[in-house]
Amino acid sequence: MLGGRPPAPDGGARSDAGSDAGSDAGSDAGSGANGPAGHHQGAGALRRPPERRSPAAVPDGGAFPPASLRARRRPVHSLSDLAPAAPGNAIALTIDDGPHPEWTPRMLDLLAEHDVRATFSLIGVHVRRHPRLAERIVRAGHQVCNHSMRHPMPFDRLTPRRMTAEIVAAQHRIEDATGVTARLFRAPGGGWSRRVVEVAGEHGLIPVDWDVDPRDWSRPGTRRIARSMLACRPGAILLCHDGGGDRSETIRALRTVIPRLKHRGLTFVAL
């Protein structure tokens, strides 16, 4: 993993996720972590809610449509790992742990102000609570990424069955709220292993990591966040957050970072 492992979103209250999303994982993914759905089953083999609507295609505007991404044996760390290759001056902003009722709208307004498309890594329980925000992300032309149902950590220590339940339940919630199918997966806390990559691949998901981590989740201060992000090079995948706590420092940092990176001739692309 690059950078430190962030605490669980919303102050690390795993009990909340368990009570609110444990039943979700059970209803959306067979019997959840302890259910009959083995890790060799595909998403289609897991029970889906009867009211599910058919997901639409991933929204236009992403620089790298899912069909153009190679099957991976390791997570994508930079735009050079993607096919086709990104433009030489491209960078990608990824925003994790939402949607959040306060910080996601502020983030979306900021990105719209600077005409930037980003990739939002969404947690299933938050999508369930705030489906209209998830839909707004897609309507604004941003890409969506599966970030698990409940953000359990360390993710790479879960059983394959639990990994599958987390991924499939989040996938269903994102599809129900937005009408699109996520084609990317980011492991909570960067908890990667060969098995995590395999399970994601079994469900048609490309594992995406990052190479610039300002550790904004730890609230190190606006200047430190900005300094870390401004040190990026072309091809970088940048990590920041719109969930998991007070993200005011992140918003303030991006107000400086985005225009300065653009002034350097860098172009933001959605994955």
Side-chain angles (χ1 to χ4, degrees):
M1 170 189 172
L2 300 179
R5 291 181 183 270
D10 294 337
R14 289 273 67 81
S15 60
D16 172 72
S19 62
D20 192 12
S23 58
D24 258 313
S27 61
D28 288 357
S31 299
N34 299 313
H39 66 273
H40 293 295
Q41 295 176 301
L46 300 176
R47 183 164 58 87
R48 301 190 179 199
E51 72 278 10
R52 290 188 53 74
R53 64 185 179 186
S54 299
V58 174
D60 293 335
F64 311 102
S68 72
L69 297 175
R70 293 190 292 257
R72 306 297 307 179
R73 294 185 178 180
R74 61 184 179 86
V76 169
H77 286 276
S78 71
L79 296 182
S80 62
D81 291 331
L82 299 173
N89 65 337
I91 56 176
L93 178 64
T94 62
I95 304 165
D96 286 17
D97 293 354
H100 187 280
E102 179 176 1
W103 303 110
T104 300
R106 295 192 188 188
M107 183 70 74
L108 288 170
D109 290 345
L110 173 62
L111 296 176
E113 178 183 344
H114 294 282
D115 193 25
V116 165
R117 299 295 179 269
T119 301
F120 285 77
S121 301
L122 304 179
I123 297 175
V125 292
H126 299 327
V127 173
R128 193 187 83 164
R129 294 168 185 161
H130 312 291
R132 291 184 181 179
L133 278 179
E135 185 179 23
R136 179 181 168 186
I137 288 169
V138 170
R139 287 202 317 267
H142 302 292
Q143 190 59 275
V144 292
C145 173
N146 183 323
H147 199 33
S148 81
M149 187 67 189
R150 293 171 289 177
H151 204 280
M153 297 194 300
F155 195 82
D156 52 325
R157 301 288 182 87
L158 301 181
T159 65
R161 179 174 294 179
R162 176 78 185 281
M163 290 178 190
T164 295
E166 287 285 333
I167 290 172
V168 172
Q171 196 77 343
H172 291 173
R173 286 299 173 187
I174 292 169
E175 290 174 357
D176 287 341
T178 69
V180 304
T181 301
R183 298 301 187 190
L184 308 172
F185 173 73
R186 172 167 282 167
W192 297 108
S193 68
R194 177 177 295 181
R195 189 58 189 144
V196 173
V197 173
E198 289 175 353
V199 171
E202 288 169 5
H203 298 283
L205 297 169
I206 301 295
V208 176
D209 207 78
W210 59 82
D211 60 356
V212 175
D213 178 9
R215 296 174 61 87
D216 63 318
W217 55 267
S218 66
R219 299 182 64 188
T222 299
R223 289 184 181 181
R224 288 191 179 184
I225 296 170
R227 183 165 60 247
S228 177
M229 299 184 82
L230 288 170
C232 75
R233 297 176 179 271
I237 297 177
L238 290 75
L239 170 67
C240 65
H241 297 78
D242 64 339
D246 185 339
R247 299 278 76 93
S248 56
E249 292 180 355
T250 303
I251 297 292
R252 288 196 298 268
L254 286 173
R255 289 195 180 281
T256 298
V257 166
I258 290 174
R260 288 183 63 177
L261 291 178
K262 280 191 164 188
H263 184 71
R264 282 165 46 184
L266 297 174
T267 299
F268 287 87
V269 297
L271 296 175

